[in-house]
C-alpha cells in the first residue's frame, strides 16, 4: 500500500511520525508525503491548545475531501487530538477510518492493515509505557535532525494538558540515545537538536539523578558541528549543567527556557516552581557564563486573574531582560486543567490586546539585537539558494529551525546546503539578517 504521512505540531510529534514511517516502510509499504493518490493517509495531530485543535480538524476535513473525490483511500488519525477526544472523534468526524492514541504509535502497521480489511481500528495503549527506541525515517534536511531524549512530563503546569496526553516523564537510556545519535552523525547530520518536554529533567526517573550534562558530553564526542538545546526548565538548570554548556564548544549559546510569566503570584497560580528573583538571577548567571547568549522563551498573557499591573510587570521584565526570542501566547482555557476552572477569567479581547502589546515590544527587542549584529561575522549553516530572494539562505547559532529568523547572504560561487560559512552581516530585513559570505 501507498501510505502518506502528515505531521502537525511540535518537533516531538514529528519524531513520532518519523518512527511510524519507518515501521510502515519496514512492513513493505510505500511511504510518501503526498496524500493525493495514497491508499492511506496518516495524520499525526496536536491537541495542546485551541488553535492546534482547529488546525488538526481543518486537516482532517481537507483529507476527507480527497476521500470524497476518490483521490485517497483511508484516513488514520493519530496523536494528541485522538488521545484527548477518543470518545468523540469518530462520532463527530465519521470521515475518519481509524484512530491511534499517543500510546499506540507502534501499532500503526496493524491499524493500516486492519483498515484495509474493512475494520475501524481504535488503538489506545498505555501512555505511561511506550516504545521510544527504534528506527526513524528522518524527514528534516539531511544536515539537521532532532534527538528526543524523553517522553511525557511530570511538571503539571496549571494550564497544560500534556501530562494527561503524553504520560509521566520517561527518559530513554543513554545507550539507546548514543546509538541513535551515532547513526544520525553517520548519515551526515551536522546540527543535532536535543528535545523533550523538559530536557533538564533527563535521567531523574531512570538513573535517579539529573544526567543531561553527562549525555551532552557524550554527544559532543560525536562528529556534530552544532548541538542545540530545547526546553530547559529554570528550576532544574543548575551550575553543573551550565558548566557543561560553557565547556563544550559544540553546544550553542542558544537556550530555550519556557518562563511563561514573571509575576510571583501568576507563577504560583501556574504551578511553576520558580520565583521572579530566581529567574532574574538565573538569566544574569547565564549571560555571564555564556558569551553572546541568545535566549528563547514562551510567555502566556491572560491567565485567569492576571491584572493590568501584573501584565505591566511582564512587559517591564521583557524590556529589562531583553530576551532575544519569545513566543507570546494567549491563555487558552483547556478543559480538564486547573486553570480552566479558575475564577476571574480574563476577557479574551483583553488577553488578545495584551498579546499584541507584548509581541510589539518583543519585536523591538529583536530588532535591536539584529541591528547590534551589523558589521559582525557570524557562522551560518547554509540551507540552500532562495530563488525569491535571489541569494543563499541559512541560520546562525541564534536561529533554531522553523521558530526563529534567517540569514540571507550573497556568495561568489555555489554554496551547497549543509555547508557552514562565515557571513559578514550588512543589514536587517523584517526580523532577518542579510550579509555577504567571507571567502
Amino acid at each position: 500500500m501507498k501510505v502518506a504521512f502528515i505531521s502537525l505540531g511540535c518537533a516531538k510529534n514529528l519524531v513520532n511520525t518519523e518512527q511510524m514511517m519507518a515501521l510502515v516502510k519496514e512492513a513493505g509499504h510505500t511511504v510518501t508525503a503526498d496524500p493525493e493518490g495514497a491508499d492511506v493517509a496518516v495524520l499525526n495531530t496536536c491537541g495542546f491548545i485551541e488553535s492546534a485543535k482547529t488546525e488538526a480538524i481543518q486537516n482532517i476535513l481537507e483529507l476527507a475531501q480527497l476521500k470524497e473525490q476518490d483521490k485517497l483511500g483511508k484516513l488514520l488519525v493519530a496523536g494528541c487530538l485522538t488521545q484527548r477526544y477518543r470518545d468523540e472523534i469518530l462520532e463527530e468526524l465519521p470521515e475518519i477510518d481509524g484512530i491511534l492514541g499517543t500510546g499506540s504509535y507502534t501499532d500503526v502497521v496493524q491499524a493500516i492493515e486492519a483498515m484495509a480489511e474493512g475494520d475501524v481500528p481504535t488503538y489506545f495503549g498505555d501512555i505511561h509505557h511506550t516504545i521510544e527506541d527504534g528506527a526513524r525515517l528522518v524527514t528534516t534536511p539531511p544536515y539537521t535532525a532532532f534527538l528526543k531524549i524523553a517522553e511525557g512530563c511530570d511538571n503539571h503546569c496549571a494550564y497544560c494538558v500534556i501530562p494527561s496526553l503524553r504520560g509521566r516523564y520517561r527518559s530513554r537510556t543513554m545507550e539507546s540515545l548514543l546509538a541513535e545519535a551515532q547513526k544520525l552523525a553517520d548519515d551526515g547530520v551536522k546540527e543535532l537538536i536535543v528535545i523533550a518536554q523538559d530536557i533538564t529533567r533527563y535521567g531523574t526517573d531512570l538513573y535517579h539523578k539529573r544526567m543531561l550534562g553527562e549525555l551532552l558530553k557524550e554527544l559532543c564526542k560525536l562528529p556534530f558541528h552544532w548541538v542545540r538545546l530545547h526546553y530547559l526548565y529554570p528550576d532544574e538548570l543548575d551550575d553543573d549543567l551550565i558548566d557543561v554548556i560553557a565547556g563544550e564548544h559544540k553546544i550553542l549559546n542558544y537556550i530555550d527556557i519556557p518562563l511563561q510569566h514573571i509575576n510571583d503570584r501568576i507563577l504560583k497560580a501556574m504551578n511553576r516552581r520558580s520565583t521572579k528573583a530566581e529567574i532574574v538571577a538565573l538569566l544574569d548567571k547565564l549571560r555571564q557564563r555564556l558569551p553572546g547568549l541568545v535566549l528563547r522563551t514562551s510567555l502566556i498573557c491572560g491567565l485567569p486573574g492576571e491584572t493590568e499591573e501584573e501584565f505591566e510587570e511582564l512587559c517591564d521584565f521583557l524590556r529589562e531582560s531583553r530576551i532575544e526570542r519569545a513566543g507570546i501566547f494567549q491563555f487558552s482555557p483547556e478543559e480538564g486543567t486547573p486553570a480552566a476552572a479558575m475564577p476571574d477569567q480574563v476577557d479574551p479581547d483583553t488577553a488578545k490586546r495584551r498579546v499584541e502589546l507584548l509581541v510589539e515590544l518583543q519585536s523591538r527587542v529583536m530588532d535591536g539585537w539584529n541591528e547590534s549584529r551589523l558589521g559582525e561575522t557570524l557562522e551560518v549553516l547554509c540551507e540552500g539558494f532562495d530563488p525569491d530572494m535571489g541569494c543563499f539562505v541559512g541560520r546562525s547559532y541564534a536561529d533554531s529551525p522553523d521558530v526563529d529568523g534567517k540569514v540571507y547572504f550573497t556568495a561568489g560561487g555555489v554554496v551547497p546546503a549543509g555547508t557552514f560559512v562565515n557571513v559578514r552581516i550588512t543589514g536587517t530585513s523584517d526580523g532577518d539578517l542579510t550579509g555577504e559570505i567571507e571567502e
Side-chain angles (χ1 to χ4, degrees):
M1 284 187 286
K2 188 176 180 181
V3 184
F5 282 87
I6 302 107
S7 191
L8 306 178
C10 65
K12 300 179 292 295
N13 216 37
L14 177 64
V15 170
N16 290 129
T17 302
E18 293 173 341
Q19 291 168 329
M20 288 193 290
M21 292 170 70
L23 289 169
V24 167
K25 186 176 181 181
E26 288 170 3
H29 303 293
T30 300
V31 171
T32 179
D34 185 3
E36 190 165 332
D39 298 295
V40 177
V42 180
L43 177 66
N44 194 14
T45 61
C46 177
F48 176 41
I49 56 176
E50 191 62 37
S51 59
K53 291 183 282 186
T54 300
E55 181 188 24
I57 292 169
Q58 181 61 39
N59 272 265
I60 290 169
L61 296 177
E62 289 173 2
L63 292 167
Q65 190 172 25
L66 286 181
K67 284 180 60 181
E68 289 176 6
Q69 297 168 351
D70 293 325
K71 295 178 181 178
L72 173 65
K74 301 284 188 177
L75 174 56
L76 177 66
V77 179
C80 290
L81 186 76
T82 55
Q83 185 67 42
R84 191 170 181 186
Y85 299 107
R86 59 183 294 176
D87 295 329
E88 299 96 339
I89 196 163
L90 285 176
E91 180 179 346
E92 296 182 11
L93 294 165
E95 302 91 344
I96 296 173
D97 301 295
I99 53 176
L100 297 177
T102 57
S104 289
Y105 285 120
T106 49
D107 296 325
V108 62
V109 173
Q110 181 183 346
I112 287 170
E113 293 174 352
M115 289 192 303
E117 296 295 322
D119 295 333
V120 180
T122 56
Y123 300 156
F124 288 87
D126 184 353
I127 63 172
H128 303 295
H129 298 88
T130 53
I131 300 171
E132 299 300 326
D133 300 333
R136 289 164 54 196
L137 204 59
V138 177
T139 58
T140 45
Y143 45 82
T144 295
F146 297 102
L147 181 70
K148 187 166 76 166
I149 65 174
E151 179 57 280
C153 186
D154 288 343
N155 289 319
H156 296 285
C157 299
Y159 49 81
C160 184
V161 297
I162 287 176
S164 64
L165 302 180
R166 291 285 184 167
R168 57 177 170 265
Y169 194 86
R170 311 179 299 285
S171 303
R172 294 176 58 194
T173 65
M174 288 266 288
E175 292 78 9
S176 68
L177 290 170
L178 294 176
E180 181 175 340
Q182 180 68 65
K183 184 179 186 310
L184 293 171
D186 292 344
D187 289 341
V189 170
K190 298 178 181 179
E191 178 187 33
L192 186 74
I193 307 176
V194 179
I195 60 170
Q197 194 62 35
D198 178 358
I199 66 172
T200 30
R201 193 179 288 270
Y202 174 74
T204 53
D205 58 318
L206 197 59
Y207 302 109
H208 308 296
K209 61 179 179 178
R210 290 194 287 255
M211 288 287 287
L212 179 61
E214 296 303 313
L215 174 63
L216 292 177
K217 285 188 280 188
E218 293 301 315
L219 291 174
C220 287
K221 294 176 182 177
L222 299 175
F224 301 112
H225 192 78
W226 283 353
V227 175
R228 191 182 293 276
L229 309 180
H230 268 280
Y231 312 137
L232 296 99
Y233 275 61
D235 58 301
E236 301 274 351
L237 216 173
D238 58 17
D239 288 339
D240 290 341
L241 181 55
I242 296 172
D243 287 342
V244 173
I245 296 171
E248 295 287 352
H249 73 275
K250 292 184 180 182
I251 301 177
L252 298 177
N253 285 359
Y254 172 106
I255 295 180
D256 191 323
I257 307 179
L259 299 176
Q260 311 304 357
H261 214 281
I262 199 61
N263 173 267
D264 282 338
R265 190 192 70 80
I266 295 290
L267 288 168
K268 185 175 181 180
M270 287 179 163
N271 199 31
R272 306 287 290 182
R273 294 185 296 275
S274 298
T275 64
K276 178 180 181 178
E278 290 167 342
I279 290 170
V280 169
L282 174 63
L283 298 190
D284 287 345
K285 182 188 296 185
L286 290 170
R287 297 268 194 217
Q288 293 167 10
R289 295 294 313 281
L290 304 172
L293 175 66
V294 167
L295 288 167
R296 164 165 278 283
T297 194
S298 52
L299 301 170
I300 295 175
C301 296
L303 190 87
E306 183 190 53
T307 65
E308 285 294 331
E309 291 77 16
E310 289 164 339
F311 171 68
E312 282 299 327
E313 185 178 352
L314 180 59
C315 292
D316 290 341
F317 166 73
L318 204 55
R319 290 189 194 97
E320 294 162 6
S321 63
R322 303 197 68 79
I323 290 174
E324 292 81 2
R325 310 280 190 254
I328 317 295
F329 299 94
Q330 182 174 336
F331 169 70
S332 179
E334 299 300 319
E335 62 266 34
T337 63
M342 287 178 179
D344 301 321
Q345 296 281 325
V346 175
D347 176 71
D349 288 338
T350 299
K352 182 181 178 183
R353 176 183 60 81
R354 291 175 182 175
V355 168
E356 291 169 350
L357 290 171
L358 212 56
V359 166
E360 182 180 350
L361 172 57
Q362 173 58 25
S363 68
R364 293 200 295 270
V365 172
M366 186 177 69
D367 288 344
W369 187 87
N370 281 346
E371 289 166 7
S372 72
R373 305 279 77 76
L374 293 176
E376 287 190 9
T377 296
L378 296 177
E379 183 179 48
V380 171
L381 172 57
C382 180
E383 296 185 306
F385 188 82
D386 188 320
D388 294 330
M389 296 292 287
C391 61
F392 293 94
V393 61
R395 293 180 288 106
S396 74
Y397 81 98
D399 306 305
S400 199
D402 300 325
V403 293
D404 295 321
K406 300 281 189 181
V407 180
Y408 293 94
F409 63 95
T410 57
V414 175
V415 184
T419 303
F420 286 91
V421 294
N422 291 321
V423 175
R424 186 171 67 86
I425 303 304
T426 58
T428 66
S429 175
D430 295 328
D432 298 317
L433 296 174
T434 59
E436 55 192 26
I437 194 170
E438 288 194 343
E439 302 295 345

